[in-house]
Amino acid sequence: MEKPGNSGAQTAAAVFFDHVARRILTRHAAPDLRGSVVLLPNYHVAQPMARALMRAAQVPALLLPQMVTLNEWAQGVALDAPLTADSQRHALLYQHLRKQQWFEQADLWGMTRELLKLFDELTYALDELPADAEAFAGAVQQAYQARQNSTLQLEARLVFELWHAMQSDAELDAARAYQQRLAQLAQQAGKPLFVLRSSDWDALEQRFLDEYARRAPLEVFDMREMDAQWAGLLREQDGDLRAQHMPPLAGRLQFFGAISLEQEARAAAMQVRLWLNAGERDIAVVAQDRVAARRMRALLERAEVLVADETGWTFATLSVSTVLDRWLSALQSDFYHHDLLDLLKSPFIFADLAAAERKAAVYQLEQLLRKHGVVAGLEKFVALAEHEAVLRQPLVRLRQAAALLDPDKRKSLAEWLDALHQSLQLLSIDIGLQQDEAGAQLLQALAAWRQELAHDAGRYRFAEWRRWLAQQLDTQTYQDTGIDSTVRFTHLAATRWRTFDAVLLLGCDADHLPGMADGGRWFNDAVRSSLNLPTRSNHAVRQRDDLLALLAMNDCVLVTWQKDRNGEQGLLSPYLAMLRDLHQLVYGDDLGETQLPVYLAAEDARSVDMALAMQPAPDVAAERVPASVSISAYNSLVACPYQFYARHILKLNELDEVQESIEKRDYGERVHEILQRFHQRYPQVGGQVVADMEAALRRISEEVFADLLQQDFEARAWLARWFRSVSAYLDWQAQNEAQGWRYAEAESAFDWQLEGVRLRGRIDRLDVREHEKMVLDYKTLSDQVLRNKLREPGEDVQLACYAYAHEAADAAFISIENGKVKRVEPAVDVPQLAQLNAERLVQVMGRLRDGAGMPANGIDAVCGYCEMRGVCRKGEWS
């Protein structure tokens, strides 16, 4: 939106500040105004207030009044009683709830957090303002006795009685301290007090104003009462809507409805850039939707526009906390391999080592894990790394750090934190965190909690402490103070009495404005209403008043929201929708923004369109063509030349996953080994007692499966599956021998030199009959699947190459599945098929050396199981 100019914004704000300044000067004559106190909603208001006083006083120099926020003013009052940290209160209440065993299956830390918030609100809601511990105890007892006579629902009574019980401690919590400081401020009242506000205050703060007014002059400047144009807007009224005195908002307020999150973020970032280009130097982004704010910030930073953030982010959302979570997750899961690798890939761990060493250690560990298939267990990993110098030392340090945080022990919160601190030192995570501003603040927070909880005697399991830590990280806020920018993110409450060159209200849909107060999971508005505490409706009214004050103080505001969310209609905030509709009704203008779509379209037109992906068909230099190929590589070349190129020339083979359970491939390998061992002991079954042969085969099977049976219960199911085929296999073997075939050898490797290429592989079994040879390949697949593999001669090269390598006249798959054993043979002449396959390999490899391309031409059946599909990008060009 176009900016109407700075003078309008300055004039709108100056009207309010000048009114306040004139009232202050009626109490005190210039130039000395130090006898008054001005209560500000935030310190950003101090400068425009001072300028207004200078304008009104019309003197060359002025001694300003004390200008302070209520919280800062209260903090200047000294108290005799010690303060209890919130972390201590959490621990005490948690122990009490755990002891009572009222909520065994509940998240007690979450409930504790919610209860303490309600306790503070109950303290604030007292009908009087006690100035000391004795008066406070009397006020609590009086409220308790009065409430005992009323009917409270069970949840409300639980909250009330727990609050009453928690007030017996002589130490002050933050709410009681604030309450007593305000009481003492009220008792010491002597200076005239001028208060700036735009919405209702909490009951405690309002009682402070009432007490202060009894002792000294007090004047409140409420934005809702200072401007008749805005005072009645958005409030329930009878009669015609036109009766509401709607000010003309054209040029001051505009709306942009986006069709997606991305468009909203782009439009918001574009508008900020337009404002900056127009010379605006104080731009506020009031972010209602934090997801849209993240995306908008990324777009601005891409355009080299930094953003200051007044709201901050909880530590739980920052990467510096991720390393703690990874470390504790690895510890709790007995170093499950995924958790361990995630931990070692963190940029904060082992910060005392060179980056190259850390990467080498992670690479070595990944190779060992996939080679040996170890799923978890730090001691197993240490043993595997016995001869890996780069990897062993980090694993030993992990073992030493893990010994400090034994998950089987019970410790106090401070002891757990101390153990965590020592483990971070052993792993040099503390060094890594110190090098990051957010990390340094995180370490400071951990140290502060450790100190606050030093005298807490409660004992906690590892899992309890970890949930406590996660909650603490979710409540502690990090603010980046290193960015000073003219563009700032803020929240609605922080805009009270503030003026900006331009304001962007981001994400103002009905789900985010009015936003929900943190009502919690356990105690809803019914409980709060029963306890006479503010409800969500009170929170919504405060947001409405703050919104109106923002619009009254600023003359350049753009509202964005998503009018289309994944195909569903998104609604504008009801407050803003009423303003827009009322303006349309009165002035015939819906305040729609029309220029941003033009700018976004121009930006799209300037973007570079990437060429559509095309079917790849790379070629390589002759020296890069492999001089030796395996049977599986030859099969890959036939199935899809590009697959062969990616796997065997670029060597992009995926790392094998660490197997956590037995798969069909493992089952097939064990069956191969069983039959190899069996036939080495019993080359012939004919003439043997069938029962003895079956017993021997079962015994060998149990030997081969022994290690799997120890580590995976599912192995018993796979063994039982094989046992169903034992009798059928012995019957088939007897029939095979009856046809004159005799077992000769198994697992025999070959490496044949062809013209320009070597062919290598290993056959499962070779049988002979006088001068004839037959190669056999065991398959734990149905006979129909195997027939399909052999339907097109030359599509599957396995049997043909085996036959060629051993000069065999016959070749067959042996199907072992579902208690059946069948021989599946090619439908064509095997020697001829073998010769043709060898010749084809020689010709194709020759063409590759001559520069022929390797197109991605695999059929869907091949592509469906190909790990290189993302490399050839078939989905974009097919």
Side-chain angles (χ1 to χ4, degrees), residues 73 183-191 208 211-216:
W73 196 18
Q184 293 187 31
L185 277 178
Q187 290 175 358
Q188 299 166 7
K191 296 181 178 181
F208 161 75
E211 290 289 336
Y212 197 101
R214 294 190 181 98
R215 296 174 173 82

Side-chain angles (χ1 to χ4, degrees), residues 135-198:
F136 175 76
V140 171
Q141 188 62 30
Q142 182 180 358
Y144 184 71
Q145 291 173 350
R147 204 61 66 87
Q148 286 285 78
N149 298 323
S150 63
T151 302
L152 292 177
Q153 55 180 296
L154 177 63
E155 287 178 297
R157 183 170 297 280
L158 169 69
V159 172
F160 199 73
E161 294 192 358
L162 281 173
W163 170 70
H164 178 258
M166 286 286 287
Q167 307 312 322
S168 60
D169 197 343
E171 293 187 346
L172 296 176
D173 56 51
R176 288 166 59 183
Y178 186 50
Q179 182 191 66
Q180 292 188 20
R181 286 184 168 119
L182 290 182
Q184 293 187 31
L185 277 178
Q187 290 175 358
Q188 299 166 7
K191 296 181 178 181
L193 180 62
F194 301 92
V195 181
L196 308 185
R197 72 179 180 188
S198 59

Side-chain angles (χ1 to χ4, degrees), residues 806-841:
H806 286 272
E807 299 179 338
D810 292 294
F813 289 129
I814 305 301
S815 167
I816 306 174
E817 183 70 357
N818 295 325
K820 300 176 182 178
V821 179
K822 296 181 179 180
R823 187 165 73 187
V824 180
E825 300 173 290
V828 297
D829 181 67
V830 171
Q832 182 184 10
L833 181 63
Q835 183 63 36
L836 290 173
N837 269 280
E839 291 175 358
R840 178 175 61 177
L841 178 60

